[in-house]
Amino acid sequence: MKSLIKKTRPADPQPVCCAPPPDAKVAQCCAKVSKTVAGCHD
Amino acid sequence: MELSKHNILTRVHGSERWLLANLLSGEADVLDPEVGARLAKGEYDDPTELAAKGYLVDPDDEWRRYRKAYLDFLETRNSDEVQLFYVPSYACNFGCSYCFQDGYAPPPGTDGEAVLAAFFAYVDATFADRRKYVTLFGGEPLLPSASARRLVDGIVDGTARRGLDLAVVTNGYHLASYVSTLQRARIREVQVTLDGTEELHDQRRYLKGGGRTFQRVVEGVDAALAAGFSVNLRTVLDRDNVESFGALAHFAIDRGWTRAPGFKTQIGRNYELHHCQSERARLYTRVSLFEDLQRLVLADPAILEFHRPAFSISKFLFERGELPDPLFDACPACKTEWAFDYTGRIYPCTANVGKSGEAIGTFFPEVKLDATLVEPWEERDVLAIEACRGCAVQLACGGGCGAVAKNEHGVVGAPDCRPVKELLSLGCSLYGREALESE
């Protein structure tokens, strides 16, 4: 088993009420850089 | 302990090795052939390592982590930027062979400037506490008529006065003549479409009544980049033009576009959105499109200098060395995306703006939002869609597109499944060769 992960996630996430600011790396259907597209639906 | 419901296990294309990924634990591994084959049958030898990486879980503990990730997702989205599309007209000077709006019969407009003023009043009142930007959409918004220029002036000034970014989706034909106007705005990006090199582009994206467009679009891109705008070059692909994708890449590279700081690219798959196309044989499925893209890239790796296909989460994984956050909902409609048009109607998103029967309210002449129409869009996510709940790839797929799901199933709360495993298999073979070849 060979890991492909180079970064580690925080081991002990804080409760939602005091969570750190989101880093907005959600994999949207269309990436942030192309969010103006008419192709979001694909 | 049991194997996680969110394990995504797929054999890597062209290899005996396997990829195992889990978006909830954030882990991804390459497995040796026998380990992967056994795991595919639910068998394993080393529970300690599998458990340490969240591939083997206590179901109750995994549910708690799933719920926490869901709450994080909602919180992130609630503070995310909202994209507000504005359509000043559905008129277009192009007659593209695959237009999804060609069946629209929009009603005549009223007073365009009064409607635009009402749009900004609605934005000010409704999205006062949200980060937001406006995207000018169509039809084709950059037409040469005096009335079209007046409306673009109004949108440029309205966004600039509010400190809002403005993005523009245009076919590029009149872009060069609009650059000085757009320079008064805070331009986020300009999206322009080129479907190939000159001959192929002109066969697909021609003027209404005929007429070539390639050279004018290229001049528009040149002018936009020279003005310092970010240009998002879109290519709509099907079997008719895919083989020229490499030639387009080399054209863009040779012209210096790929070295411009604000230049980026995207691929749009030609597909049937609202109505059947006459030449269905040319359309790709998602998998077949990416199979051909992978073949083209392997034959001509310089294409990657122009565009790096996502292959689901593959590009993200291999470029960043981590997995994206779990995607509980891929559909931004009525959450971080709204669309408005010159008739005063409000729509959930760009896929259905202007489509008869899809409006969810009005902002002109009166403000009225139909909560019963908005709610299905607001509530749509992988927890609300029954078919997604047991799916291993739900946190990569996010339930897909609500508009496509509604077209296919008649309701928004239905899945538009993405072939995550197949794309990950292809993407891993392309971007993960180093990891596959090492011990």
Side-chain angles (χ1 to χ4, degrees), chain A residues 2 6 35-37 41-42, chain B residues 83 189 266 271 286 321:
Chain A
K2 175 183 168 48
K6 309 269 191 299
K35 212 180 163 190
T36 62
V37 303
H41 38 284
D42 196 33
Chain B
Q83 186 177 23
E189 72 174 31
Q266 58 164 303
Y271 70 110
R286 285 193 182 85

Side-chain angles (χ1 to χ4, degrees), chain B residues 403-422:
Chain B
V404 170
K406 188 177 180 193
N407 284 347
E408 195 172 326
H409 302 284
V411 291
V412 174
D416 164 39
C417 303
R418 304 293 161 95
V420 172
K421 287 186 178 181
E422 293 86 342

Side-chain angles (χ1 to χ4, degrees), chain B residues 94-137:
Chain B
F94 276 29
C96 302
S97 58
Y98 50 79
C99 182
F100 73 96
Q101 292 181 339
D102 59 355
Y104 289 14
T110 49
D111 180 349
E113 285 164 55
V115 178
L116 184 59
F119 164 70
F120 279 118
Y122 184 86
V123 170
D124 291 343
T126 308
F127 300 101
D129 59 348
R130 293 293 299 262
R131 294 185 300 118
K132 54 195 170 284
Y133 70 106
V134 174
T135 296
L136 184 55
F137 193 65

Side-chain angles (χ1 to χ4, degrees), chain A residues 1-7 9 13-17 19-20 22-30 32-42, chain B residues 19 26 28-30 50 68 76 80 83 137 167 169 189 191 232 234 264 266 269 271 286 320-325 327 330 351 401 435 438-439:
Chain A
M1 198 180 260
K2 175 183 168 48
S3 179
L4 298 168
I5 302 300
K6 309 269 191 299
K7 298 175 182 174
R9 289 185 172 186
Q14 298 172 39
V16 173
C17 58
D23 62 3
K25 62 182 177 67
V26 173
Q28 297 286 3
C29 59
C30 48
K32 280 285 180 194
V33 291
S34 58
K35 212 180 163 190
T36 62
V37 303
C40 185
H41 38 284
D42 196 33
Chain B
L19 178 74
D29 286 87
V30 173
L50 288 172
K68 165 74 169 65
T76 299
D80 200 3
Q83 186 177 23
F137 193 65
V169 178
E189 72 174 31
Q191 181 190 299
N232 192 342
R234 176 175 171 87
K264 51 198 170 191
Q266 58 164 303
R269 180 175 63 98
Y271 70 110
R286 285 193 182 85
R320 301 175 62 150
E322 62 180 335
L323 287 173
D325 288 338
L327 181 62
C401 167
S438 63
E439 271 306 305

Side-chain angles (χ1 to χ4, degrees), chain B residues 157-394:
Chain B
D157 294 339
T159 51
R161 202 160 48 240
R162 290 166 176 80
L164 301 178
D165 281 4
L166 177 66
V168 182
V169 178
T170 173
N171 61 34
Y173 193 81
H174 292 290
L175 175 57
S177 73
Y178 266 97
V179 162
S180 60
T181 299
L182 298 179
Q183 280 179 310
R184 302 203 314 265
R186 290 172 36 156
I187 293 296
R188 171 77 60 99
E189 72 174 31
V190 180
Q191 181 190 299
V192 183
T193 301
L194 270 184
D195 271 3
T197 46
E198 185 162 9
E199 190 182 346
L200 260 175
H201 172 90
D202 285 343
Q203 285 171 15
R204 298 162 61 86
R205 297 180 62 82
Y206 37 82
L207 291 173
K208 275 192 174 132
R212 301 170 81 90
T213 64
F214 180 86
Q215 288 299 340
R216 289 283 294 266
V217 176
V218 167
E219 288 165 22
V221 172
D222 285 342
L225 288 172
F229 296 160
S230 177
V231 171
N232 192 342
L233 191 74
R234 176 175 171 87
T235 305
V236 178
L237 290 177
D238 56 40
R239 294 183 199 279
D240 286 352
N241 68 336
V242 76
E243 298 299 333
S244 80
F245 190 60
L248 176 63
H250 284 281
F251 175 86
I253 293 166
D254 294 343
R255 206 165 177 94
W257 288 352
T258 54
R259 293 190 296 280
F263 184 77
K264 51 198 170 191
T265 54
Q266 58 164 303
I267 287 174
R269 180 175 63 98
N270 186 10
Y271 70 110
E272 291 176 328
L273 180 57
H274 299 315
H275 59 80
C276 296
Q277 296 198 22
S278 55
E279 298 169 69
R280 296 186 71 181
R282 71 180 183 172
L283 303 183
Y284 276 120
T285 63
R286 285 193 182 85
V287 173
S288 58
L289 170 61
F290 280 86
E291 282 173 347
D292 272 359
L293 282 173
Q294 193 219 33
R295 173 178 57 77
L296 291 172
V297 168
L298 288 173
D300 182 4
I303 290 174
L304 294 178
E305 194 179 324
F306 173 70
H307 180 77
R308 295 178 70 82
F311 292 98
S312 184
I313 54 176
S314 309
K315 184 176 114 171
F316 192 106
L317 169 61
F318 289 101
E319 283 186 355
R320 301 175 62 150
E322 62 180 335
L323 287 173
D325 288 338
L327 181 62
F328 288 88
D329 179 23
C331 172
C334 294
K335 296 139 183 163
T336 57
E337 181 174 328
W338 302 79
F340 306 80
D341 77 6
Y342 71 95
T343 69
R345 291 183 177 88
I346 305 173
Y347 296 85
C349 72
T350 50
N352 44 37
V353 65
K355 189 184 174 195
S356 177
E358 295 289 346
I360 51 175
T362 61
F363 63 95
F364 179 89
E366 61 172 328
V367 173
K368 197 170 62 180
L369 209 54
D370 187 334
T372 60
L373 296 175
V374 173
E375 275 168 16
W377 294 95
E378 283 184 326
E379 290 170 0
R380 187 181 193 277
D381 63 27
V382 296
L383 283 88
I385 302 169
E386 195 176 345
C388 296
R389 285 183 210 144
C391 177
V393 304
Q394 59 173 277

